[in-house]
């Protein structure tokens, strides 16, 4: 249906400007009822969008700073692939202290979502020890030697308690102010092992050397698999040590 569906947010709903950073989605700054928001139009299923928007509502209720769904005029949290969420102010982390605050926020996310149900259609890294596909991952498209390296990295991470991971904690997805840490762009969030979120600059999460190495290897393997086959994924796969 495209952006025509945006009219379901009210007669004054308007797009302002296209935002950079959208790969699988068309992302715009928008105005709804006079307030600034962000609209994201994509091809995710209703079940996928229900999982994401319900997670945002839960995290907001529990005190985390996240984009909150702005409902349609009749109260739905999304419609025909379009989600409209509140705009978060702030800038990226710039210091070691900033990154430690990010680590604390991620650990709170993990605490609040222990044993959360998996995002529909997704697989965790440890699921992929046996499964071949999940969402954008198709291990059958990768070289068998690369798959073996990825699975070995994920196997080292397995055995703990799962939770929701943000999945893409690059500086552009973090909105910091003096009193809060906001996390945006939950498009890659899923249920997985928490340490995957904690491979941060300067080991800001304070993982022990062995745990940091395991998480870093598993994270590189995930990004290689989910992005395969392009230059970046080949670079990440090269970082995954041979068995």
């Amino acid at each position: 249906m495209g952006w025509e569906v945006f009219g379901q947010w009210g007669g004054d709903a308007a797009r302002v400007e296209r935002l950079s950073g959208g790969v699988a989605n068309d992302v715009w700054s928008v105005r709804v009822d006079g307030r600034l928001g962000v609209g994201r139009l994509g091809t995710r299923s209703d079940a996928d969008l229900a999982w994401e928007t319900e997670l945002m509502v839960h995290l907001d209720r529990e005190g985390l700073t996240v984009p909150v769904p702005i409902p349609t005029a009749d109260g739905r949290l999304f419609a025909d692939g379009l989600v409209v969420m509140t705009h978060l102010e702030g800038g990226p982390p710039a210091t070691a202290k900033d990154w430690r605050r990010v680590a604390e926020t991620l650990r709170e996310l993990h605490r609040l979502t222990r044993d959360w149900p998996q995002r529909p259609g997704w697989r965790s890294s440890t699921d992929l020890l046996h499964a071949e596909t999940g969402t954008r991952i198709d291990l059958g498209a990768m070289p068998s030697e690369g798959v073996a390296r990825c699975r070995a990295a994920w196997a080292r991470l397995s055995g703990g308690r799962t939770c929701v991971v943000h999945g893409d904690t690059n500086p552009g997805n973090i909105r910091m102010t003096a009193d809060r840490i906001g996390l945006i762009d939950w498009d890659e969030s899923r249920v997985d092992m928490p340490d995957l979120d904690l491979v941060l600059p300067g080991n800001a999460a304070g993982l022990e050397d062995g745990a940091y190495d395991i998480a870093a290897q598993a994270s590189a393997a995930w990004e290689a698999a989910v992005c395969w086959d392009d230059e970046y994924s080949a670079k990440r796969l090269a970082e995954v040590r041979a068995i």
Side-chain angles (χ1 to χ4, degrees), residues 8 39 48 103 109 151 172 218:
Q8 297 184 34
D48 184 286
L109 160 67
R151 282 178 163 161

Side-chain angles (χ1 to χ4, degrees), residues 187-233:
D187 208 32
E188 299 298 319
S189 59
R190 63 189 185 279
V191 168
D192 215 317
M193 305 305 298
D195 281 4
L196 287 168
D197 263 349
L198 300 178
V199 184
L200 302 175
N203 191 16
L207 297 178
E208 295 181 359
D209 289 347
Y212 184 87
D213 180 70
I214 288 170
Q217 287 283 292
S219 179
W222 178 269
E223 291 190 3
V226 81
C227 298
W228 195 264
D229 162 36
D230 62 16
E231 184 177 344
Y232 177 75
S233 63

